Amino acid sequence: MTWQRTGPTLTLLVTLGVALPAGIPAVAATTASPATTTASTASPRDVVAALERAAHPLRTVEPGGDTGDLRPLARMIGDARVVGLGEATHSSHDFFALKDRVFRHLVAEKGFRTFALEAPWSTGLRLNAYVLHGKGDPRRIMREEFQRDYQWWNNTDYLRLVEWMRAYNVRHPDDPVRFMGDDIAWSGPELYDAVSDHVAATDPGASARLAELYRGLRPTVATGPYIEQYLTRPYAERMEMAARTSRALELVRGLPAGADREAHDRAVQNATVIDQTAHQYAWDLENPAQAAEAMRYRDRAMAANVVWWHRHTGTKVLLAAHNNHVGYVPDDPAQYPKVQGAYLRDSLGGGYLNIGLTFHQGSFNATGFDDDIVRRWTLGPLGPDSNEHTLDRVRHRDYVVDLRTAAPPARDWLRQARPTRSIGTAYPEPPDDIALARSHDALIHLHTVEAARLRDR
């Protein structure tokens, strides 16, 4: 999810001037730049011919039926344990359906067992309880959790995926699939309750202290209103709340692990996410330098949460997020100094691989920049100087290509930055200059996409 200014308030706030929460590694604040390489002298026809030799056609984006056309993609993934699968818009059916289809294939052929979404950690836990144990109604969970900046995930495609995951687990109770959320803009009341229950069971005398530290933070309203109310709090108050969640995290970390190390680790992680949420709302975004650091903080936190989940569950993870968050090089370095994909590569090395998605034309849902009204936007082809223009000249309607092994002259062409669509929650916005092979390991190009069907609207 891309976080942007929409009207007089900001859709994301996080903190500067406080120590990073435990669990987020202090990685050097460096990032590559999508600098343009020397232009290739090869003709466009030669570039297209080289892309065609490297491209593998896709039969469909829809889940179900034969998946033999996804085997080349599985070979590209190789031994990667976490795979980021991007999207060029936040609300196109074809991107969501393809993620469902790819996940089912990776479950069957590559042993993947977790679907991770750019959604709050506590939301993921609620959906995971349904997927694993049939607890709750997924329609209600999605309606209650996917509000405001997360409303794009309350769609018919992700509902179908969650229901498939539950059906899979009914058939495979001893080898289940799981659902996780890696994001931090919302920590639901269940998270506070889980931490409080663990403290009460481990050190009852610390419960009163924890309750004081969490004072005024446990949500008593729905996701959307809670975020709105938090955004209206004075900056100093948000800073003070973040300082309290850091002390609460230290309290939980200091508890004896006892015989149940897993329960202790889980409580520490839940307290870490609560701390991440409070810190996310404590940056001074009127300061451009702090605004950029806020974005760096969020991507680093999301990456840390994915790594924690992967290591503690032992499962391979398919991570669904925007191209900008799964990639290695930020689309807009001034706003996003370093992105989740780069942090995941720092932590996992070759154990992380990402796949970008592009499209030639079609529709998507997004708000305007000056209001929160959801509209359906329809776009035609980009101009001849764009990446998409050349990608769509390949004879396959939809296809996947390994950007790491493409032969010249496509190899040089893919490393040059040129206009590319990277559409977030609001529109209109111009294309970003992106060098595809610098940002992604593999690429799926779709000829046409259509807007997702949003639920409860």
Side-chain angles (χ1 to χ4, degrees):
M1 187 170 299
T2 47
W3 298 80
Q4 303 151 340
R5 180 181 296 276
T6 53
T9 61
L10 293 148
T11 61
L12 173 65
L13 296 176
V14 204
T15 13
L16 186 65
V18 295
L20 285 174
I24 301 181
V27 181
T30 59
T31 183
S33 170
T36 304
T37 60
T38 303
S40 171
T41 58
S43 71
R45 183 189 300 272
D46 291 338
V47 171
V48 172
L51 287 170
E52 285 186 346
R53 290 192 295 271
H56 301 271
L58 292 178
R59 180 180 64 83
T60 181
V61 300
E62 303 296 340
D66 179 68
T67 61
D69 58 314
L70 291 177
R71 288 176 187 148
L73 179 62
R75 289 194 294 271
M76 295 174 200
I77 289 170
D79 295 329
R81 304 182 301 278
V82 176
V83 173
L85 183 55
E87 57 200 29
T89 80
H90 263 325
S91 193
S92 290
H93 155 75
D94 301 77
F95 297 146
F96 297 152
L98 182 62
K99 293 181 186 198
D100 183 354
R101 184 172 189 244
V102 169
F103 181 63
R104 297 189 196 193
H105 182 76
L106 295 181
V107 167
E109 301 295 331
K110 301 286 288 185
F112 279 64
R113 290 295 181 268
T114 291
F115 183 87
L117 181 62
E118 190 184 328
W121 177 267
S122 58
T123 302
L125 294 182
R126 287 190 70 186
L127 285 170
N128 195 46
Y130 168 74
V131 165
L132 287 176
H133 310 298
K135 182 178 179 181
D137 177 358
R139 293 169 178 80
R140 179 177 178 180
I141 295 171
M142 293 173 71
R143 181 171 62 251
E144 293 175 349
E145 296 286 337
F146 294 147
Q147 299 182 12
R148 202 175 185 271
D149 305 289
Y150 298 106
Q151 64 185 307
W152 318 107
W153 309 153
N154 188 14
N155 61 68
T156 56
D157 297 299
Y158 280 157
L159 175 60
R160 176 177 59 183
L161 169 60
V162 168
E163 290 178 332
W164 176 86
M165 294 173 72
R166 176 58 193 152
Y168 179 93
N169 287 343
V170 170
R171 299 191 305 271
H172 305 87
D174 297 326
D175 186 21
V177 293
R178 304 166 190 267
F179 191 104
M180 79 155 289
D182 67 341
D183 210 351
I184 58 176
W186 155 261
S187 287
E190 303 86 0
L191 217 56
Y192 289 87
D193 294 344
V195 174
S196 298
D197 290 347
H198 179 79
V199 170
T202 307
D203 184 1
S207 290
R209 174 63 175 156
L210 183 72
E212 171 58 24
L213 292 172
Y214 282 163
R215 171 179 43 84
L217 282 162
R218 182 186 184 278
T220 57
V221 296
T223 307
Y226 181 85
I227 294 175
E228 293 288 347
Q229 291 172 16
Y230 215 127
L231 288 167
T232 64
R233 294 178 183 269
Y235 175 56
E237 182 178 344
R238 289 183 273 114
M239 288 283 289
E240 186 273 337
M241 295 167 80
R244 284 194 277 119
T245 60
S246 289
R247 294 197 295 273
L249 173 57
E250 289 305 310
L251 184 157
V252 177
R253 292 179 72 238
L255 295 174
D260 194 346
R261 182 74 196 189
E262 182 179 348
H264 174 78
D265 290 347
R266 187 166 56 249
V268 170
Q269 173 62 12
N270 288 338
T272 295
V273 175
I274 290 172
D275 193 35
Q276 291 168 347
T277 298
H279 281 73
Q280 178 153 266
Y281 288 106
W283 295 89
D284 179 7
L285 293 184
E286 298 304 319
N287 180 323
Q290 288 201 33
E293 290 306 310
M295 297 301 103
R296 187 199 307 273
Y297 176 92
R298 176 181 175 234
D299 276 75
R300 181 167 48 188
M302 290 192 296
N305 291 336
V306 171
V307 171
W308 186 95
W309 182 279
H310 162 63
R311 289 176 175 167
H312 282 76
T313 65
T315 60
K316 293 182 181 180
V317 179
L318 180 67
L319 169 63
H322 195 275
N323 283 346
N324 188 46
H325 291 301
V326 302
Y328 301 125
V329 178
D331 296 350
D332 181 358
Q335 183 178 5
Y336 297 92
K338 188 170 180 176
V339 286
Q340 180 177 201
Y343 285 114
L344 287 169
R345 183 170 57 180
D346 288 344
S347 296
L348 302 173
Y352 177 70
L353 173 141
N354 88 78
I355 305 159
L357 271 73
T358 56
F359 72 104
H360 181 60
Q361 61 188 4
S363 59
F364 57 93
N365 302 306
T367 68
F369 271 98
D370 297 324
D371 56 51
D372 59 358
I373 300 173
V374 176
R375 302 176 177 87
R376 178 188 176 107
W377 304 80
T378 301
L379 302 179
L382 277 176
D385 61 338
S386 67
N387 276 316
E388 289 91 336
H389 175 82
T390 299
L391 291 170
D392 208 67
R393 292 178 62 188
V394 171
R395 68 176 182 272
H396 308 304
R397 180 178 177 86
D398 302 328
Y399 61 90
V400 58
V401 60
D402 191 331
L403 303 180
R404 302 164 299 178
T405 60
R411 177 184 302 166
D412 294 334
W413 182 86
L414 289 164
R415 294 187 66 80
Q416 297 168 20
R418 56 180 59 81
T420 311
R421 283 176 173 144
S422 180
I423 299 167
T425 60
Y427 194 78
E429 57 182 325
D432 289 307
D433 287 335
I434 298 172
L436 294 172
R438 296 176 185 269
S439 291
H440 307 295
D441 298 304
L443 181 77
I444 295 176
H445 178 73
L446 304 180
H447 176 68
T448 303
V449 300
E450 64 178 54
R453 290 181 55 196
L454 300 178
R455 299 180 58 255
D456 302 315
R457 298 194 62 81

